[in-house]
């Protein structure tokens, strides 16, 4: 990963956080790591605990950004979510997996979309 | 929170109640369906998810467990989509949870939230009518469900409508059909015996077969009109009674072949399976046994064209349903009985090339080829065919000059009268038509006039009729006499009946 794209990722996550705050989310944690996975943002939306995966996309990418959260990625997010629940002793709380996509256009403008309930454990 | 919604599952032509239990626990989002669901039931998870979201509801968070009780029977088909979706909405308090006692819910969901038709609605309504007062069914199945009296049938087009009805906000009026109106008219077949020119003797033989429920074998060269004549046989059979129509409709409902036939099958069925059909296709079968062609031809006609081309085992499995009027299919999963009272109409060529005994064309088959062709038909099977008939090819000038024959309605009148005589004769016995008389009943019900006896005796001597053929001739004579309204079997009746033993006359082979 080049330093440039890392910076883009950082910027993206900041933008994502602002977007979530505007939408009434309460941010609990950024970049939570477990052994097998990582969650970009953990937040609270009213009484629901939300695990948010942030996806950065330049205009050159093919297809829908949501399509890139593939099965293996979903599984690692679920694994990390379980770890978080266990570590913080969270019980009896409804959880949700959201995906937030950021597309960058040629002129540098960004478009942010939030997919609530993007996937489930099976 | 736990919600229970009643639904149903089908086993053969019966149904039993299923409880769809939906429960949610707080935690990571997801769901699992238990209670031995098959693939179609498991996939309902994805359909329900989209349908709920596209109906303007929010897909509820939390982990859902859906149990289909009783948990020890296998559930198949997509008919639990609607109860599952309703249950999830009630659990998440998007629909008011209410006591669902006495309400049955069935339906497949489309991704856009509309409700799609499912199979087997009629048997479900008939079997569970005493256990429930109200049933929510897909709009397309409402006519079928409303055939059952004393049941409030609620037709729903979408998940939203179902929620509206159950919450009492937008009550849907129960659906009614006028059963008597469905039965008022003679069924319309679109074909008629008057379409067929000439072949007077074949039409007469078909009339006799229809009147007595006799199985019939038509032997003739290609293009002689065997198929055309056979197709018109249902048009001269008496119309189905309501009870019979419900029975046939049930079979069609279970196999999912009801669409396009209206809610109630009032016409007698005509099934003509291709000769490559397997024995399972004919008799029914599968992991969970489903009705086959013999059952779909119940109370109608099973037409087997190119009779000897069918696999030998296919022909042999016909023997039991021909005898009993029903088939019992046993599999590891269950053993089910389906009705199969049908008239067998078989058609074949006299030899592989079809030109044997044709006046104008020479046959090119070798004798042993003809022999092998006929050997496919076993004695026991031919035993069950009362009428064997040659269908000659018509000459061109006959085709253009002959007038149209009688209409089906005229013939049907005579057939109905003959059937009524038989119903009176066999009252209280398990026999409905002359074709099914036992040897003792033949003795009792076939009094021969003197001349008739003489003709029969000389037929046995001169035509070398076997003992087996003797009984057949008597049965067919009985039917011919019934058509004429005569109690006594007269000479001309026997004379005609012996004409219907072409095979015997030719020594078992043409």
């Amino acid at each position: 990963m080049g330093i440039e794209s890392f910076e883009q990722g950082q910027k993206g996550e900041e933008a994502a956080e602002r977007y979530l705050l505007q939408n009434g989310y309460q941010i609990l944690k950024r970049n939570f790591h477990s052994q097998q996975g990582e969650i970009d943002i953990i937040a609270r939306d009213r009484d629901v605990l939300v695990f948010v995966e942030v996806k950065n996309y330049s205009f050159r990418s093919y297809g829908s950004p949501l399509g890139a959260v593939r099965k293996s990625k979903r599984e690692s997010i679920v694994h990390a979510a379980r770890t978080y629940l266990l570590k913080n002793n969270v019980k009896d709380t409804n959880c949700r997996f959201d995906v937030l996509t950021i597309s960058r256009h040629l002129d540098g403008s960004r478009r942010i979309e939030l997919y609530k309930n993007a996937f489930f454990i099976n | 929170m736990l919600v229970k919604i009643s639904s149903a599952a089908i086993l053969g032509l019966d149904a039993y109640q299923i409880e769809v239990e939906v429960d949610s626990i707080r935690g990571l989002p997801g769901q699992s369906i238990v209670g031995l669901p098959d693939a179609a039931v498991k996939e309902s998870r994805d359909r329900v998810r989209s349908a709920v979201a596209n109906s303007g509801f929010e897909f509820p968070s939390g982990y859902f467990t859906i149990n289909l009780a009783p948990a020890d029977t296998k559930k198949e088909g997509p008919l639990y989509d609607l109860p599952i979706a309703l249950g999830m909405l009630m659990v998440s308090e998007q629909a008011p949870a209410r006591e669902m006692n006495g309400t049955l819910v069935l339906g497949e969901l489309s991704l856009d939230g509309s409700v799609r038709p499912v199979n087997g609605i009629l048997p479900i309504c008939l079997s569970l009518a005493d256990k429930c007062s109200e049933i929510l069914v897909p709009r397309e199945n409402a006519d079928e469900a409303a055939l059952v009296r004393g049941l409030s049938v609620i037709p729903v087009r979408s998940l939203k409508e179902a929620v509206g009805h159950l919450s009492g906000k937008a009550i849907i009026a129960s659906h009614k059909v006028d059963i008597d109106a469905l039965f008022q008219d003679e069924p319309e077949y679109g074909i008629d015996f008057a379409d067929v020119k000439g072949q007077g003797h074949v039409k007469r033989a078909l009339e006799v077969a229809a009147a007595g429920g006799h199985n019939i074998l038509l032997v003739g060269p290609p293009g002689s009109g065997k198929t055309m004549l056979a197709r018109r046989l249902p048009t001269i059979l008496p119309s189905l009674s309501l009870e019979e129509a419900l029975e046939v409709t049930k079979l069609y409902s279970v196999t999912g072949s009801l669409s396009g036939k209206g809610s109630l099958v009032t016409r007698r069925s005509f099934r003509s399976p291709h000769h490559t059909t397997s024995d399972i296709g004919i008799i029914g079968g599968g992991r969970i046994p489903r009705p086959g062609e013999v059952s779909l031809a119940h109370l109608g006609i099973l037409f087997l064209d190119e009779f000897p081309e069918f696999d030998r085992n296919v022909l042999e499995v016909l023997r039991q349903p021909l005898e009993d009027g029903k088939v019992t299919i046993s599999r590891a999963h269950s053993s089910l009985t389906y009705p199969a009272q049908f008239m067998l109409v078989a058609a074949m060529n006299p030899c592989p090339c079809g030109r044997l005994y044709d006046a104008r064309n020479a046959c090119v088959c070798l004798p042993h080829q003809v022999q092998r062709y006929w050997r496919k038909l076993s004695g026991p099977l031919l035993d069950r065919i009362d009428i064997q008939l040659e269908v000659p090819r018509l000459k061109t000038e006959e085709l253009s000059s002959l007038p149209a024959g009688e209409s089906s309605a005229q013939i049907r009148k005579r057939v109905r009268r003959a059937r009524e005589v038989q119903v009176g004769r066999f009252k209280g016995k398990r026999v409905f038509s002359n074709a099914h008389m036992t040897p003792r009943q033949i003795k009792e019900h076939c009094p021969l006039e003197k001349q008739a006896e003489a003709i029969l005796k000389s037929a046995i001597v001169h035509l070398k009729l076997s003992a087996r053929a003797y009984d057949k001739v008597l049965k067919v004579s009985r039917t011919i006499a019934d058509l004429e309204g005569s109690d006594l079997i007269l000479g001309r009746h026997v004379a005609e009946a012996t004409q219907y033993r072409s095979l015997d006359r030719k020594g078992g082979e043409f």
Side-chain angles (χ1 to χ4, degrees):
Chain A
M1 190 191 273
I3 193 76
E4 195 188 333
S5 64
F6 178 76
E7 273 173 10
Q8 283 296 344
Q10 287 298 312
K11 269 192 197 156
E13 267 173 44
E14 278 161 26
E17 225 171 273
R18 277 198 303 279
Y19 184 88
L20 291 177
L21 284 169
Q22 279 162 21
N23 279 275
Y25 284 52
Q26 185 191 341
I27 309 292
L28 301 180
K29 189 152 179 58
R30 267 179 79 165
N31 294 325
F32 174 79
H33 290 268
S34 81
Q35 270 183 342
Q36 285 163 42
E38 179 203 9
I39 294 169
D40 294 332
I41 297 171
I42 298 174
R44 184 173 279 281
D45 179 19
R46 279 164 299 166
D47 55 345
V48 182
L49 192 63
V50 188
F51 302 99
V52 186
E53 167 71 10
V54 179
K55 277 275 154 194
N56 263 299
Y57 277 89
S58 71
F59 62 95
R60 277 185 284 266
S61 307
Y62 289 108
S64 152
L66 196 59
V69 187
R70 291 185 193 284
K71 199 177 172 209
S72 56
K73 181 70 182 164
R74 291 202 299 265
E75 276 165 5
S76 70
I77 294 172
V78 169
H79 183 270
R82 283 192 205 279
T83 314
Y84 178 84
L85 294 180
L86 209 64
K87 270 192 178 161
N88 294 279
N89 202 19
V90 182
K91 278 180 193 155
D92 213 24
T93 305
N94 270 333
C95 308
R96 203 171 71 203
F97 295 103
D98 287 5
V99 173
L100 190 139
T101 62
I102 305 169
S103 341
R104 275 184 297 117
H105 294 274
L106 272 177
D107 57 6
S109 65
R110 285 202 179 88
R111 206 162 73 105
I112 298 182
E113 271 170 292
L114 179 64
Y115 298 88
K116 289 186 182 181
N117 245 338
F119 59 91
F120 304 81
I121 60 168
N122 280 318
Chain B
M1 189 184 159
L2 174 81
V3 167
K4 277 188 198 181
I5 295 180
S6 300
S7 191
I10 298 170
L11 189 64
L13 292 181
D14 293 314
Y16 55 94
Q17 200 167 328
I18 296 281
E19 296 294 335
V20 179
E21 301 175 339
V22 183
D23 188 24
S24 87
I25 46 170
R26 274 173 232 195
L28 293 175
Q31 46 174 297
S32 66
I33 301 179
V34 295
L36 300 185
D38 78 342
V41 179
K42 271 190 186 147
E43 283 169 359
S44 96
R45 184 165 57 191
D46 297 314
R47 284 191 298 272
V48 166
R49 191 173 292 163
S50 290
V52 165
N54 291 331
S55 298
F57 299 105
E58 196 179 309
F59 192 79
S61 38
Y63 192 87
F64 280 82
T65 307
I66 293 141
N67 181 31
L68 307 174
D72 60 346
T73 58
K74 287 199 167 122
K75 320 297 183 307
E76 55 167 10
L79 71 173
Y80 308 113
D81 289 2
L82 186 58
I84 289 174
L86 284 175
M88 292 181 75
L89 290 177
M90 285 181 186
V91 166
S92 61
E93 287 165 359
Q94 297 184 71
R98 54 161 242 200
E99 206 45 53
M100 294 283 282
N101 270 346
T103 301
L104 236 56
V105 183
L106 305 154
E108 177 184 336
L109 281 174
S110 174
L111 296 188
D112 63 0
S114 57
V115 178
R116 291 169 46 78
V118 293
N119 294 342
I121 288 287
L122 181 65
I124 288 172
C125 291
L126 282 170
S127 317
L128 298 175
D130 50 339
K131 289 196 185 116
C132 64
S133 53
E134 185 185 50
I135 181 162
L136 267 69
V137 296
R139 174 71 196 82
E140 284 90 336
N141 293 123
D143 281 340
E144 194 186 331
L147 293 173
V148 182
R149 291 192 169 104
L151 193 63
S152 166
V153 176
I154 309 297
V156 291
R157 267 180 304 220
S158 64
L159 176 59
K160 215 167 183 173
E161 273 192 15
V163 173
H165 176 79
L166 290 176
S167 64
K169 276 184 197 143
I171 301 265
I172 303 167
S174 72
H175 186 79
K176 297 257 185 311
V177 290
D178 190 352
I179 299 174
D180 299 326
L182 287 173
F183 260 83
Q184 242 165 26
D185 309 316
E186 293 279 347
E188 204 33 73
Y189 286 93
I191 46 174
D192 199 286
F193 258 96
D195 306 337
V196 188
K197 284 188 170 179
Q199 306 288 27
H201 75 292
V202 187
K203 288 185 192 168
R204 168 68 185 172
L206 288 173
E207 177 183 336
V208 173
H214 302 287
N215 299 319
I216 183 167
L217 172 67
L218 304 171
V219 184
S224 54
K226 304 182 294 281
T227 311
M228 195 176 176
L229 285 157
R231 269 193 194 287
R232 282 158 181 77
L233 192 50
T235 66
I236 60 168
L237 288 170
S239 351
L240 293 170
S241 68
L242 176 61
E243 211 175 304
E244 290 173 328
L246 281 176
E247 208 171 326
V248 178
T249 310
K250 252 160 76 168
L251 284 158
Y252 276 85
S253 177
V254 167
T255 48
S257 31
L258 201 56
S259 57
K261 288 199 168 59
S263 60
L264 187 64
V265 179
T266 53
R267 288 198 256 174
R268 289 194 184 258
S269 38
F270 180 87
R271 303 292 301 186
S272 54
H274 189 254
H275 62 251
T276 51
T277 312
S278 68
D279 47 349
I280 299 228
I282 292 280
I283 215 90
R287 195 178 57 81
I288 297 169
R290 286 163 58 83
E293 289 291 337
V294 291
S295 296
L296 291 175
H298 181 53
L299 299 172
I301 311 287
L302 180 68
F303 177 56
L304 301 182
D305 206 355
E306 307 297 350
F307 200 39
E309 300 294 341
F310 280 83
D311 277 347
R312 176 124 200 180
N313 58 329
V314 172
L315 295 178
E316 295 309 307
V317 293
L318 281 174
R319 280 157 53 180
Q320 192 243 341
L322 275 172
E323 201 69 19
D324 302 342
K326 61 183 185 207
V327 270
T328 303
I329 310 158
S330 285
R331 294 288 184 272
H333 178 271
S334 52
S335 169
L336 296 172
T337 301
Y338 291 112
Q341 268 178 48
F342 59 93
M343 248 178 82
L344 175 67
V345 180
M348 63 185 286
N349 297 328
C351 68
C353 84
R355 293 199 284 269
L356 193 64
Y357 302 111
D358 193 337
R360 282 167 302 159
N361 301 300
C363 172
V364 296
C365 303
L366 299 171
H368 78 271
Q369 287 178 316
V370 179
Q371 237 173 34
R372 192 162 52 204
Y373 189 67
W374 278 91
R375 231 182 3 228
K376 275 287 248 333
L377 310 178
S378 70
L381 181 62
L382 286 176
D383 234 11
R384 288 164 175 83
I385 298 176
D386 297 346
I387 300 179
Q388 308 143 356
L389 198 70
E390 284 163 86
V391 184
R393 203 200 297 264
L394 282 186
K395 295 190 186 77
T396 330
E397 56 271 24
E398 280 178 324
L399 277 175
S400 51
S401 65
L402 281 171
E406 274 182 302
S407 73
S408 292
Q410 284 169 302
I411 306 173
R412 186 164 57 225
K413 251 184 224 152
R414 293 197 296 268
V415 170
R416 194 186 300 140
R417 228 177 8 245
R419 287 259 175 155
E420 276 159 12
V421 173
Q422 293 167 50
V423 168
R425 175 180 303 141
F426 302 120
K427 207 167 227 167
K429 294 170 190 149
R430 286 191 54 246
V431 175
F432 305 100
S433 60
N434 291 338
H436 295 102
M437 276 192 284
T438 58
R440 190 189 294 169
Q441 282 167 332
I442 293 178
K443 254 195 198 119
E444 186 187 338
H445 296 300
C446 300
L448 288 171
E449 183 231 21
K450 262 215 176 87
Q451 195 201 354
E453 222 162 319
I455 292 179
L456 191 55
K457 268 200 186 118
S458 88
I460 292 167
V461 175
H462 289 105
L463 300 175
K464 300 196 178 92
L465 289 189
S466 63
R468 176 201 299 163
Y470 176 84
D471 273 5
K472 303 264 159 194
V473 169
L474 276 179
K475 280 186 195 175
V476 177
S477 315
R478 178 69 266 167
T479 305
I480 298 168
D482 286 344
L483 273 168
E484 226 172 73
S486 159
D487 272 344
L488 206 59
I489 297 175
L490 304 179
R492 60 172 180 276
H493 303 146
V494 174
E496 186 182 342
T498 50
Q499 293 306 305
Y500 298 140
R501 300 300 302 176
S502 315
L503 279 184
D504 292 311
R505 289 208 309 272
K506 293 188 170 160
E509 191 178 292
F510 272 75

